[in-house]
Amino acid sequence: MTSRAAPVAVVLLVAAAGLAGPHQATALPGGGARPAASSAAPEGPALSVDTTTGRKAIDPHIYGINFADEALAKELRLPVRRWGGNATTRYNYKLDAYNAGADWYFENLYYENGTADLPNGSEADKFVEQNRRTGTDTVLTVPMSGWTTAARNAACGFSIATYGPQKANDAQWRPDCGNGVKTDGTNVTGNDPAETSVPAGPEFTKGWVEYLNRTYGTADDGGVRFYNLDNEPDLWSSTHRDVHPEGTGYDEMRDSTYATAAAIKDADPGAKTLGPVGWGFNSLVYSGLDQKTCNEKGGDCWSNPPDRAAHGGQLFAPWYLQQMKAYEQTHDRRILDYFDEHIYPQQTGVFSGDVDPQTQALRLRSTRQLWDPTYVDESWINQPVQFIPRMRSLVEENYPGTKLAITEYNWGALDHINGALAQADVLGIFGREGLDLATLWDPPASTEPGAFAFRMFRNYDGEGGSFGDTAVHAASADQDKLAVYAAQRSGDKALTVIVVNKTTVI
């Protein structure tokens, strides 16, 4: 991974077995690193590594990807792969069909896998089977909105023939399917959800888990290990407003999580659940109902939203975790295993393919929102985010023992060296900060630079060489110029160091 026009990423592998004690490293002009004992006169910030401090296990599940193709998954020995996204909210495993929601004119769509033996041979089955071939754990998203797709048909949520002219429609494939927005800019309301969907409660999800157990074994016997409790429910009032036009409030999230997670545990006690799967920073603070209400009202609503006020003035995430703890105390059973939130950088141009010099620099420093208390997010957020430490504090204060997950994130431009550098930095941060599971949204092609960021950690030499599994202390005098991550491998005790050059020095 080199470039004459952009920063480069360099992996320093110290191969001496049993290496211990403090070891100093200093930056080279080209962005590399070498032990300080060298006679070179380096430029740039000093780097240090100390294998005696900061030691913590790195969970390999942080190196996951949504929908990675089989060849890349095999090469990376991909630890976990997620079936997620908006289309999974109304996926019907019995029909191998889903509704695209706002992503594509609220249309019912289905996979061409044959219908005679469904649910056998479905797209979800093929997803699990690929993971079994590559030794990859599965995160499967299960529905929790109360609805699933009704049929393998061409129905859509906002038929123009039924609901009148709309601002946009699927002109190429299904011209009658509108976007649900009237020509005056207001939303179509009062549509019938039964035109596309049927009710689906916890028993539907339980039936799917039971089917998967019969087909692939239980979680403890090589079957599906992880279940996402739907996808970004705080956005259902926009992404799936044809069936869920109201914002998802505190009480609905508690009650639907109780019912769905318990159904999963009833069917497979060894399965692990992940929730509430919110879309981003606001998901820690507001319910979906408050987000919808305050987006419409604006003004002072954000400082005192009504759903929060009705729940003792508590922010959403701590309240949610307290409710999960209360369930365990009452029922003597944990039903939430991972506190899972998504994060997409909100800084202008970062989550995109933009690679102008200003965006490249912004992309590389914006990874600091994951951990740095001194970094003020350069977006509408306009405050320190400290996303992973914030999540950890929420768990420690409200439901200790819950693990941390980020099942969607993307820093953009994975087809460019700049995006690859940001991705490598993010993976280093995940390990150092003690995240337990993460899956990149929208995987890069195996030939794109973003894939090489994963190779640096999972297979840097093409022969299975990997970054260590025990993080150790690593520090840079200026993390914005050179970011450094170090870990020791348990097998051969080798120390591995990854240095990310965020400057244009080559």
Side-chain angles (χ1 to χ4, degrees):
M1 297 175 61
T2 60
S3 171
R4 295 189 61 82
V8 297
V10 178
V11 183
L12 169 64
L13 298 169
V14 182
L19 194 60
H23 296 273
Q24 299 296 317
T26 50
L28 295 174
R34 65 172 53 167
S38 167
S39 60
E43 298 176 4
L47 308 178
S48 64
V49 174
D50 183 350
T51 62
T52 67
T53 61
R55 297 182 68 87
K56 66 179 74 171
I58 297 176
D59 194 318
H61 289 100
I62 65 171
Y63 304 118
I65 300 177
N66 284 261
F67 297 108
D69 68 47
E70 186 163 357
L72 183 60
K74 182 177 180 180
E75 181 187 355
L76 296 176
R77 297 170 294 115
L78 193 68
V80 64
R81 179 168 167 259
R82 175 176 178 258
W83 164 282
N86 292 334
T88 59
T89 288
R90 276 188 276 171
Y91 177 74
N92 189 327
Y93 77 98
K94 296 178 180 180
L95 302 175
D96 204 20
Y98 63 98
N99 186 282
D103 291 342
W104 195 257
Y105 302 102
F106 303 91
E107 294 180 14
N108 281 358
L109 301 169
Y110 51 87
Y111 296 101
E112 298 288 357
N113 286 321
T115 60
D117 297 322
L118 287 175
N120 295 312
S122 68
E123 195 72 10
D125 280 11
K126 290 182 177 181
F127 186 91
V128 175
E129 288 161 6
Q130 175 185 310
N131 290 345
R132 288 165 65 85
R133 289 193 297 270
T134 58
T136 301
D137 284 330
T138 298
V139 177
L140 204 64
T141 301
V142 298
M144 203 171 71
S145 70
W147 297 91
T148 191
T149 303
R152 293 171 63 91
N153 61 17
C156 51
F158 298 108
S159 161
I160 292 174
T162 303
Y163 300 108
Q166 296 168 46
K167 291 197 75 172
N169 70 312
D170 184 3
Q172 182 176 5
W173 304 106
R174 301 180 186 176
D176 184 50
C177 294
N179 69 344
V181 181
K182 298 177 183 179
T183 54
D184 64 2
T186 61
N187 286 341
V188 174
T189 59
N191 67 294
D192 183 2
E195 292 172 356
T196 61
S197 304
V198 293
E203 289 302 314
F204 178 86
T205 294
K206 183 179 181 182
W208 191 8
V209 177
E210 289 172 339
Y211 163 76
L212 292 166
N213 290 346
R214 294 192 301 269
T215 307
Y216 303 111
T218 64
D220 291 336
D221 192 32
V224 175
R225 185 172 178 183
F226 301 105
Y227 290 94
N228 252 154
L229 299 173
D230 216 299
N231 180 79
E232 299 181 352
D234 49 336
L235 295 182
W236 285 341
S237 61
S238 57
T239 55
H240 293 280
R241 62 183 177 82
D242 58 323
V243 297
H244 201 292
E246 298 303 319
T248 310
Y250 282 63
D251 292 344
E252 181 182 353
M253 282 300 300
R254 177 197 59 207
D255 296 345
S256 57
T257 299
Y258 280 2
T260 303
I264 292 170
K265 296 287 189 175
D266 287 344
D268 188 351
K272 304 300 181 184
T273 58
L274 302 86
V277 207
W279 73 269
F281 178 73
N282 264 3
S283 307
L284 302 175
V285 182
Y286 302 100
S287 69
L289 177 56
D290 277 340
Q291 291 179 58
K292 181 177 188 292
T293 300
C294 294
N295 274 325
E296 293 171 351
K297 289 186 175 181
D300 294 338
C301 179
W302 292 105
S303 62
N304 188 31
D307 197 24
R308 180 194 299 171
H311 292 82
Q314 284 195 305
L315 304 186
F316 174 72
W319 182 90
Y320 172 87
L321 289 166
Q322 290 167 17
Q323 302 310 301
M324 299 304 110
K325 181 180 179 180
Y327 184 98
E328 181 176 4
Q329 291 173 332
T330 301
H331 299 274
D332 195 27
R333 178 168 71 159
R334 173 182 279 271
I335 58 169
L336 182 75
D337 299 290
Y338 287 75
F339 179 43
D340 179 16
E341 299 284 2
H342 297 167
I343 182 169
Y344 289 94
Q346 299 297 295
Q347 297 88 344
T348 301
V350 172
F351 177 43
S352 75
D354 294 352
V355 289
D356 58 90
Q358 293 76 20
T359 301
Q360 287 197 46
L362 179 59
R363 179 175 289 116
L364 291 176
R365 68 177 178 266
S366 69
T367 61
R368 290 167 55 192
Q369 70 189 281
L370 289 167
W371 64 276
D372 189 350
T374 70
Y375 176 71
V376 176
D377 194 288
E378 299 166 82
S379 73
W380 56 266
I381 296 175
N382 194 34
Q383 62 179 289
V385 172
Q386 278 190 283
F387 200 69
I388 299 173
R390 186 185 294 258
M391 290 177 67
R392 176 170 295 102
S393 294
L394 286 166
V395 163
E396 290 174 350
E397 293 169 7
N398 298 287
Y399 194 14
T402 309
K403 294 187 175 183
L404 303 181
I406 299 175
T407 54
E408 283 188 27
Y409 70 94
N410 189 308
W411 251 258
L414 290 168
D415 59 349
H416 188 276
I417 186 66
N418 178 253
L421 288 165
Q423 179 61 44
D425 196 29
V426 166
L427 294 176
I429 292 168
F430 286 170
R432 185 192 66 200
E433 296 297 317
L435 192 67
D436 296 297
L437 186 150
T439 49
L440 171 72
W441 180 255
D442 197 14
S446 62
T447 56
E448 290 180 335
F452 285 87
F454 281 87
R455 289 186 178 100
M456 288 166 59
F457 288 87
R458 298 295 299 163
N459 191 4
Y460 58 79
D461 57 1
E463 298 180 0
S466 63
F467 190 61
D469 49 17
T470 299
V472 300
H473 175 80
S476 169
D478 189 341
Q479 191 84 357
D480 261 352
K481 292 182 178 178
L482 291 179
V484 59
Y485 305 98
Q488 206 162 21
R489 283 199 297 252
S490 57
D492 60 3
K493 307 302 181 186
L495 175 67
T496 57
V497 180
I498 289 182
V499 180
V500 181
N501 184 354
K502 295 186 176 184
T503 75
T504 55
V505 176
I506 58 173

